Amino acid sequence: MGSENDQQEQMRRTLDPVRARNPNLTISAKVASDHGTIVRKDFRAIAEAARELAALTRES
């Protein structure tokens, strides 16, 4: 698992044009964990993103 060099950063840079086309997309957090450990190590970031989404749905 993982990527080499700055591969992740290159992929993240491609998100800017996508977000410009769709203002409903939001990036909540960048964490150090990979997809295999994010739930265990960065559960707080996941919970915060869920809270942000819940707040948006309450506003509607």
Side-chain angles (χ1 to χ4, degrees):
M1 286 200 246
S3 61
E4 297 177 7
N5 302 323
D6 67 340
Q7 203 171 25
Q8 291 294 321
E9 290 303 320
Q10 290 174 12
M11 287 188 273
R12 285 184 185 98
R13 282 193 292 273
T14 66
L15 294 173
D16 290 338
V18 174
R19 290 180 56 227
R21 288 191 305 271
N22 188 343
N24 295 315
L25 294 175
T26 302
I27 298 173
S28 295
K30 177 182 171 183
V31 296
S33 299
D34 61 24
H35 64 275
T37 60
I38 190 168
V39 175
R40 182 170 34 106
K41 291 184 177 181
D42 289 303
F43 58 89
R44 288 177 185 87
I46 296 169
E48 183 58 31
R51 286 187 203 100
E52 290 172 10
L53 180 59
L56 290 173
T57 58
R58 284 191 294 265
E59 293 173 4
S60 301

